[in-house]
Amino acid sequence: MARVQRKRPRKAAAQVSNGPRTRWGMLLVLTLSVAGATGYMRMKADQNLERVRQENVAIAAMERAYGGGPTRRPQPVAEVAPS
């Protein structure tokens, strides 16, 4: 008797998908990955926000030290009499 050659070979037992279990596992991995990426981006945003706050404090201190910025009182302008 002649053997019939299949067009596609059968999958090995280890390669057979478990259907719903595989889909739930992939969904779990995707969910954890997105949650991790969101946490990382939030952490970096908080670091950047803190850096900007520190820069603003330093700028305000320099403005106070050198008499500039919004805390400076306006200087009176001397009026010159027209001649």
Side-chain angles (χ1 to χ4, degrees), residues 11 56 62 77 79:
K11 291 184 178 180
N56 287 344
M62 284 190 288
V77 178
E79 292 186 26

Side-chain angles (χ1 to χ4, degrees), residues 10 22 25 31 34 37 40 43 50-51 55-56 69 71 74 79 82:
R10 290 184 179 161
T22 301
T31 303
V34 169
Y40 176 76
M43 179 186 69
E50 183 60 31
R51 182 180 51 81
E55 288 175 0
N56 287 344
T71 59
E79 292 186 26

Side-chain angles (χ1 to χ4, degrees), residues 1-82:
M1 187 175 234
R3 292 183 64 145
V4 177
Q5 181 69 26
R6 292 181 168 267
K7 291 182 181 177
R8 285 185 287 157
R10 290 184 179 161
K11 291 184 178 180
Q15 294 176 341
V16 175
S17 172
N18 290 332
R21 286 181 66 195
T22 301
R23 277 180 259 150
W24 281 110
M26 291 175 68
L27 181 62
L28 177 65
V29 168
L30 179 65
T31 303
L32 293 174
S33 299
V34 169
T38 303
Y40 176 76
M41 290 189 309
R42 178 172 280 173
M43 179 186 69
K44 294 306 269 182
D46 288 343
Q47 288 175 353
N48 289 340
L49 183 61
E50 183 60 31
R51 182 180 51 81
V52 168
R53 284 183 184 152
Q54 289 174 357
E55 288 175 0
N56 287 344
V57 167
I59 290 169
M62 284 190 288
E63 287 176 345
R64 283 191 306 272
Y66 293 105
T71 59
R72 185 175 77 177
R73 293 186 183 134
Q75 299 291 329
V77 178
E79 292 186 26
V80 178

